[in-house]
Amino acid sequence: MLALRLARGTHPLVLTRRLLVAAAAAGVGFLLLCTLGYAVGHPAHSSASVLRLLWCALPLAATVQFAVAVARTDPSTRPRPGLSAVGLGPARLTAIAAASTAVACTLGSLVALLFYLHLRGDITGLPFDGAAAELLAADRPLPLAAALTLLAVLPVVAATAAGLALRPRPAAEAPEGAEKPVPSGLPWGVALVAVGLAVETYAGRGGGDGVPLPGRFDGSPLGVLVGWVLTAVGLAMAGPGLVHGCGRLLQAVRPGATRLLAGRVLMDESRRIGRPLGVVSAVISGTLAAATLYDADRGPTAFGPLTGLGAALVLACTTATLLTAALESKQCRTHTTEALLRLGAPPTVLRTAALMRAGALLAVFLPLTWAVARLAALPLTG
C-alpha cells in the first residue's frame, strides 16, 4: 500500500517510465503466452517449444534491465534526511523499489493475459475477437496454472534484480569502487568479441543443421548463434572501458577547460553508462547482421510477427535503459553542475561539454557497431 501511495504522488515523468516498464512487461508476457499456445497446439514438437521459450529470454532480460534502471532513477527510493526516523531507512526504501517494480510488471502481465485471451476468442465484445484463434490454439483449453506461472516469472525476476541492485551496501565498499575509475573489463570484452567472431566464422563455413527457431530463423547453425551471444557479451563487457578511453582521448594533447570537463565526466561515469551503451551496440550490431543476412536471401518473410515483436522489445528496452542511465548520470552530477555555475562557469561550457561527450561516444561506437555487424554476417553471406 505504501508503494501505491508513493506512486500516486510522484512526478508524471516517473509515472511515464513505470508505464513504459509495464508496456514492456506486457510484450514479454504476450510472447510467453504465445509460446505456451504453440506448445498446447503442437504437443509432438516439444523440443521446438522449448527453443521458443528460450528465445523469449532475450526480451525478458532486456525488460529486467530496463526495470532495474527505472528503479535506480526513482526519486522515492533515495535516502533523505528524516525518513529513517519514520521507519523508511535504506532497507525499507529498497523493499519499496522492489515492490513498485513488481507492481508495474504485474500490471503489464495482466494486460498481456487479457489481450491474449481476447485474440483467442475467450473474451468477446471487443474488436478483433478471436482474430488469432488458429495461431493461438483456441480449439484447445489453456492451462491456467502454466499461464500464470509464466506470467509470474518477469515480476519476480525484475523485483529481485531491483532489490539486489539497490540493496544497502556497507560503507567499506565505497572506497573500493573509488580506487578503480579504470574499468577492468576491456581486455576480456575484446577477447570475447574475437572468440565469438571466430566461432561464428568456423560454424558458418562448416555448415550443419539449422536450429528451429521462431520467425523462420531455421537455417542458422547452432555455432553461429553461440558466436553471436559471445560477441554480444563481449561488447557489453568492453563498454565501460571504451567509454573510459573516450574520456582519456578528449583530454589528450593540451586540452582546454571544456575538453577537460567532458573527459573527466566520461571517465567518472564510464561504469554507469558504459555497460548499457555496450548492450545497445551489441543489439544494433546483431540486428544489422540479421537484416543483412536474411534480407539478401529470403526478404521480409524471414521475420515473423513474433520475432519482430521480440526484436522490437529488445531494441526499445536497451535504448530506454541507456537513456535512463544517462538521466541517472545527470542527476548524480547535479551538485557538481551547481557548483560550477556558482563559480561563474557559463552554461554554454556545460552544453559544449555535453556535445563533446556525445560526439566522442558516437565516433567510437558507431564504427565499432558497423564493423561487428559486417564481420558477424560475413561468414554466412560470403
Side-chain angles (χ1 to χ4, degrees), residues 7 11 57 98 110 131 143 145 147 162 179 190 192 249 272 293 298 335 339 343:
H11 193 272
L110 291 178
E179 291 176 1
V190 173
L192 277 179
L249 287 177
R272 182 175 286 111
L293 175 61
R298 308 182 185 183
H335 298 293
L343 291 174

Side-chain angles (χ1 to χ4, degrees), residues 191-208:
L192 277 179
V193 170
V195 170
L197 292 175
V199 169
E200 182 190 348
T201 302
Y202 179 79
R205 291 179 177 177

Side-chain angles (χ1 to χ4, degrees), residues 95-106:
I96 292 175
S100 301
T101 303
V103 168
C105 293
T106 302

Side-chain angles (χ1 to χ4, degrees), residues 212-263:
L213 295 175
R216 307 181 184 93
F217 279 78
D218 54 357
S220 299
L222 181 60
V224 173
L225 301 177
V226 172
W228 279 5
V229 171
L230 291 177
T231 303
V233 173
L235 286 174
M237 291 183 62
L242 292 174
V243 174
H244 191 274
C246 291
R248 285 190 175 275
L249 287 177
L250 282 176
Q251 301 174 82
V253 191
R254 302 177 63 180
T258 306
R259 279 204 291 146
L260 274 176
L261 178 61

Side-chain angles (χ1 to χ4, degrees), residues 53-106:
L53 185 62
L54 293 177
W55 197 248
C56 295
L58 292 178
L60 189 145
T63 304
V64 169
Q65 184 192 26
F66 178 43
V68 172
V70 170
R72 290 174 62 94
T73 57
D74 194 340
S76 62
T77 62
R78 298 175 189 169
R80 284 170 293 213
L83 290 181
S84 298
V86 295
L88 292 178
R92 187 69 180 276
L93 291 177
T94 300
I96 292 175
S100 301
T101 303
V103 168
C105 293
T106 302

Side-chain angles (χ1 to χ4, degrees), residues 294-325:
Y294 289 96
D295 186 52
D297 298 334
R298 308 182 185 183
T301 60
F303 300 95
L306 297 182
T307 306
L309 175 60
L313 278 174
V314 172
L315 186 59
C317 288
T318 51
T319 304
T321 301
L322 176 60
L323 296 177
T324 307

Side-chain angles (χ1 to χ4, degrees), residues 346-367:
T348 54
V349 172
L350 301 178
R351 290 194 290 266
T352 304
L355 292 176
M356 283 186 177
R357 294 195 300 270
L361 293 177
L362 290 176
V364 171
F365 278 91
L366 282 182

